[in-house]
Amino acid sequence: MNLAAATNESLAHTSNVLIYSSMAVYTLAFFAHIAEWVLGSRSKVGRTAAALSGAAGSSAAPVVVQAGSTAVLERPKVVTRAAAGTRDVPDGPGAAGGTFKGDLWGRIAVSLTVVAFVVEAGGVITRALSVQRAPWANMYEFSITFSTVAVGAYLVLLALKKNVRWIGLPLVTTVLLDLGIAVTTLYTDSDQLVPALHSYWLWIHVSTAIICGAVFYLGAVGTVLYLFRDSYENKIASGGTPGKFAASVMERLPSASSLDKFAYRINAAVFPLWTFTIIAGAIWAGDAWGRYWGWDPKEVWSFITWVAYAAYLHARATAGWKGRKAAYLALVAFACWLFNYYGVNIFVTGLHSYAGV
């Protein structure tokens, strides 16, 4: 074995160690997020339920926020629900529930997530160095890069002072599942690369596809939570009494309107990049196979995903389809993206089937 081969093998081993190490740190972040939610549930988040039930009359009433051991009166932020039958509803206090201990554990969770992100990114980079190419030539590499970008997008939103810490628990949970599947089922030796992938378009087309999928995922999380929060608000408005667990969780989330707007803005922002991804793929196909479009399963499902997201964005601009109907379309669109990645790669044979998976 020559020196170059030994170095590449060492880098590949280092990459594997870093990926497993990131999973360990993500696990610690997961438990820290659990602690944040559990301690937050002990706070008096019933103030939000009171604001919800009285939203029709005086939704701008002040609420009490616990800052350490000092009670501070703070007027809640009032937003307008995007769906039909609008009403003013305040955002919840967050996963920490306005408590000092809950917030402390939340900050610890975010810090651990940052550490895990850096370690995982190191694993992706060393994987690339071990083969001297872009680290997304197969499903294993795509998966570890996908989760890295998803966490990176979340941390960027936090750095921009956006109210997104509520994404932390579902995000870390999903990342652990993604990495678990990657290292146990999808793992592929780093030296496998088909001739069609030897192109600079690998850096352009696949990188944008990964970015789009990671950001679409954040939008899907916001959409799912919007549907739960919207049902909760509807039940409160109709005089119903939600269960204690549902109330404890839902009262701390942003309002249905805020979640709806978050999901819409995320999806709308990345949709042009997804359009570019399909165009870049067509250009690459022309270089690699001599045709720009051949109705390969991956091409078909990429286009179906594009149509689904276009339908969602159109629905958000149509009065009768705002709110829950549009949200269902958004989830269908993300399901199309997931099938395009997992389903097509695993169960369907086509020109995009590389390295066994």
Side-chain angles (χ1 to χ4, degrees):
M1 180 182 295
N2 57 37
L3 180 60
T7 300
N8 291 340
E9 183 177 346
S10 176
L11 286 170
H13 175 71
T14 300
S15 173
N16 294 338
V17 171
L18 289 173
I19 294 300
Y20 278 103
S21 298
S22 71
M23 292 176 66
V25 183
Y26 278 127
T27 301
L28 295 177
F30 170 80
F31 285 115
H33 275 299
I34 292 292
E36 177 188 19
W37 280 93
V38 170
L39 293 173
S41 69
R42 298 175 182 175
S43 66
K44 296 181 179 179
V45 293
R47 61 185 181 270
T48 308
L52 286 172
S53 60
S58 56
S59 61
V63 297
V64 178
V65 176
Q66 295 292 333
S69 60
T70 305
V72 181
L73 288 177
E74 182 178 284
R75 191 172 299 276
K77 177 183 178 182
V78 177
V79 293
T80 303
R81 188 167 175 260
T86 59
R87 60 177 177 268
D88 292 336
V89 175
D91 285 336
T99 63
F100 174 76
K101 288 185 178 179
D103 182 67
L104 176 62
W105 278 105
R107 293 177 183 276
I108 292 174
V110 171
S111 299
L112 288 170
T113 302
V114 171
V115 174
F117 165 76
V118 172
V119 174
E120 186 182 10
V124 173
I125 293 172
T126 51
R127 175 80 174 194
L129 293 175
S130 70
V131 287
Q132 299 179 7
R133 58 166 170 78
W136 42 73
N138 50 62
M139 287 186 67
Y140 169 74
E141 295 174 354
F142 192 103
S143 294
I144 62 175
T145 307
F146 167 81
S147 56
T148 303
V149 175
V151 174
Y154 165 69
L155 294 177
V156 167
L157 291 175
L158 283 178
L160 295 175
K161 308 297 183 182
K162 303 297 181 182
N163 177 25
V164 295
R165 207 164 81 182
W166 45 269
I167 297 179
L169 181 58
L171 173 64
V172 170
T173 303
T174 304
V175 167
L176 284 172
L177 290 173
D178 174 72
L179 292 178
I181 294 173
V183 299
T184 59
T185 304
L186 303 178
Y187 183 80
T188 304
D189 290 336
S190 59
D191 59 349
Q192 298 188 29
L193 188 64
V194 299
L197 294 180
H198 286 286
S199 171
Y200 61 88
W201 284 106
L202 176 65
W203 292 92
I204 300 172
H205 171 65
V206 184
S207 65
T208 55
I210 293 173
I211 293 171
C212 289
V215 179
F216 279 148
Y217 163 77
L218 296 181
V221 172
T223 300
V224 170
L225 293 180
Y226 157 74
L227 290 172
F228 282 111
R229 173 75 187 206
D230 185 63
S231 296
Y232 173 77
E233 291 180 10
N234 286 335
K235 190 168 187 177
I236 291 291
S238 61
T241 304
K244 290 184 178 180
F245 177 78
S248 174
V249 174
M250 292 296 110
E251 288 165 9
R252 286 179 278 164
L253 290 175
S255 68
S257 173
S258 295
L259 291 169
D260 186 39
K261 290 177 181 177
F262 169 80
Y264 169 68
R265 289 169 180 171
I266 286 288
N267 290 328
V270 79
F271 180 73
L273 186 60
W274 181 248
T275 303
F276 170 78
T277 300
I278 295 176
I279 295 173
I283 296 173
W284 188 8
D287 289 344
W289 301 314
R291 92 291 186 276
Y292 294 104
W293 192 267
W295 300 103
D296 182 75
K298 180 71 72 172
E299 296 169 350
V300 171
W301 277 96
S302 295
F303 180 67
I304 290 174
T305 303
W306 184 91
V307 171
Y309 273 109
Y312 161 71
L313 295 176
H314 177 72
R316 288 288 278 112
T318 304
W321 278 81
K322 287 184 178 179
R324 299 184 69 86
K325 291 181 179 179
Y328 292 137
L329 279 176
L331 293 182
V332 168
F334 185 67
C336 290
W337 188 90
L338 284 179
F339 181 78
N340 185 35
Y341 172 52
Y342 285 103
V344 173
N345 285 14
I346 296 174
F347 302 112
V348 182
T349 301
L351 291 174
H352 287 79
S353 299
Y354 300 129
V357 283

